[in-house]
């Protein structure tokens, strides 16, 4: 942003901050609405209609705060009678970094402005304005563009608490244990750390009749958490249960070997019991 605009924006911020911090100070005048509008939506240069953009607004959708910075391209055509040259491009935030070709675009020719958005430390909804200046005016932009979207904050994605990854799905654990003698419900907490909604189900053809699976959320949106629920019915179980039952999750875009969680049956072995078993094995080694 050129120096005059930066000074005006800083003055606006200082006046607003002073008004919020000390609303009873009569010496701080209110900021005129016209002045605020002139900074956010300045008048365009005379003859700006010569620069015709195919679209002046791009919705970036959802971006993860830890994602690599994505780029978005605004394409335009010179509908005027003389060549147009982009002299500079300014944005309302340093997180939106513009790039453009400085070569003249002849009548009927095409050009573009690309904006790379850096989401780190900018969570939440965003609306960035891009001001495109040409030789038509050094003070007034020839075109004003908009880039909007939503950055999913890292704080909403505590991936460290969900150490097991299955593509975008993160799990707190990959197995649950049941004693196999009474009706039981166990859960695995999970997080959608990806950028697309997930609809999670299980391969029901491979589940025995005494095990039922359901996902707490019909659709798990990006950044949301829910539980994977496992129910055991002893009335439908055989007299002798297997040590474990695999549950293959669907909707993750992974092969079964990478999308399987397990239900373990029986009491958890005590550490000393495992130690004794290992000792007995070592004794039998000649």
């Amino acid at each position: 942003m050129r120096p005059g605009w930066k000074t005006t924006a800083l003055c606006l911020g200082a006046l607003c901050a002073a008004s919020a911090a000390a609303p009873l100070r009569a010496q701080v005048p209110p900021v005129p609405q016209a002045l605020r509008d002139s900074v956010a939506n300045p008048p365009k240069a005379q003859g700006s209609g010569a620069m015709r953009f195919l679209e002046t607004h791009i919705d970036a959708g959802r971006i993860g705060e830890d994602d690599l910075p994505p780029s978005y391209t605004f394409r335009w055509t010179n509908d005027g009678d003389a060549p147009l040259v982009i002299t500079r491009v300014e944005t309302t935030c340093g997180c939106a970094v513009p790039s453009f070709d400085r070569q003249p675009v002849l009548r009927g020719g095409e050009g573009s402005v690309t904006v790379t958005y850096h989401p780190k430390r900018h969570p939440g909804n965003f609306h960035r304005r891009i001001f495109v200046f040409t030789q038509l005016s050094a003070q007034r932009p020839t075109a004003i563009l908009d880039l909007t979207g939503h950055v999913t904050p890292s704080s909403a994605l505590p991936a460290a608490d969900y150490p097991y990854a299955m593509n975008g799905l993160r799990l707190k654990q990959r197995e649950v244990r049941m004693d196999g003698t009474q009706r039981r419900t166990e859960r695995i907490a999970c997080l959608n750390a990806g950028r697309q909604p997930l609809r999670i189900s299980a391969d029901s053809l491979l589940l025995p009749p005494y095990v039922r699976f359901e996902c707490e959320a019909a659709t798990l949106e990006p950044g949301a958490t829910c539980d994977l629920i496992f129910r055991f019915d002893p009335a439908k179980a055989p007299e002798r249960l297997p040590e474990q039952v695999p549950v293959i999750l669907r909707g993750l875009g992974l092969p079964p070997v990478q999308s399987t969680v397990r239900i373990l049956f029986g009491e958890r072995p005590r550490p000393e019991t495992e130690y004794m078993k290992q000792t007995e094995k070592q004794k039998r080694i000649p």
Side-chain angles (χ1 to χ4, degrees):
M1 192 174 293
R2 59 191 176 85
W5 286 13
K6 289 183 179 179
T7 303
T8 304
L10 288 173
C11 291
L12 287 176
L15 289 176
C16 292
S19 299
L24 297 180
R25 293 181 181 176
Q27 67 270 27
V28 180
V31 179
Q33 182 65 41
L35 181 57
R36 293 199 296 267
D37 290 343
S38 68
V39 174
N41 191 26
K44 294 183 183 178
Q46 185 176 1
S48 61
M51 178 177 265
R52 179 174 60 83
F53 277 84
L54 297 180
E55 53 182 345
T56 58
H57 173 225
I58 292 180
D59 183 1
R62 286 181 172 269
I63 308 172
E65 188 177 355
D66 296 323
D67 289 352
L68 291 175
S71 296
Y72 308 91
T73 299
F74 297 85
R75 303 188 182 280
W76 61 279
T77 301
N78 183 355
D79 282 355
D81 296 327
L84 276 175
V85 180
I86 297 179
T87 55
R88 72 181 191 276
V89 177
E90 299 176 354
T91 67
T92 54
C93 179
C95 55
V97 180
S99 61
F100 57 94
D101 191 349
R102 298 177 182 271
Q103 296 300 317
V105 176
L106 302 179
R107 178 183 178 182
E110 297 181 350
S112 63
V113 174
T114 298
V115 178
T116 300
Y117 192 76
H118 296 259
K120 194 66 177 178
R121 295 185 295 278
H122 295 281
N125 295 326
F126 65 86
H127 181 187
R128 308 298 181 223
R129 309 214 80 186
I130 300 102
F131 304 97
V132 182
F133 292 83
T134 68
Q135 84 275 18
L136 296 179
S137 175
Q139 290 76 37
R140 295 184 175 186
T142 303
I144 301 176
L145 311 175
D146 294 276
L147 179 65
T148 60
H150 179 85
V151 175
T152 304
S154 294
S155 58
L157 302 176
D161 296 335
Y162 299 82
Y164 300 97
M166 295 181 177
N167 268 355
L169 186 69
R170 304 289 294 261
L171 309 176
K172 281 200 171 183
Q173 59 198 66
R174 293 194 66 161
E175 60 185 38
V176 295
R177 182 173 289 276
M178 304 181 182
D179 62 15
T181 61
Q182 55 186 339
R183 186 181 296 272
R184 188 73 176 268
T185 298
E186 292 289 344
R187 297 169 178 260
I188 293 179
C190 62
L191 160 74
N192 183 355
R195 298 176 60 180
Q196 301 297 326
L198 295 175
R199 297 180 63 88
I200 305 170
S201 61
D203 192 334
S204 57
L205 295 178
L206 299 180
L207 285 180
Y210 50 87
V211 170
R212 287 196 302 116
F213 169 86
E214 63 182 283
C215 182
E216 189 176 43
T219 301
L220 187 60
E221 298 294 336
T225 61
C226 76
D227 286 348
L228 305 181
I229 304 172
F230 306 85
R231 305 185 191 278
F232 170 69
D233 185 356
K236 299 179 180 180
E239 183 176 350
R240 185 179 181 86
L241 286 169
E243 291 185 358
Q244 59 180 263
V245 170
V247 180
I248 300 174
L249 302 180
R250 293 186 175 274
L252 305 178
L254 290 172
V257 69
Q258 298 178 25
S259 59
T260 299
V261 295
R262 302 183 184 280
I263 302 174
L264 307 180
F265 289 104
E267 294 184 1
R268 187 181 302 275
R270 296 180 179 180
E272 59 270 20
T273 303
E274 289 297 316
Y275 173 77
M276 293 177 64
K277 288 181 179 179
Q278 292 296 327
T279 304
E280 290 297 326
K281 287 181 181 179
Q282 292 177 357
K283 287 181 179 179
R284 289 194 293 268
I285 295 176

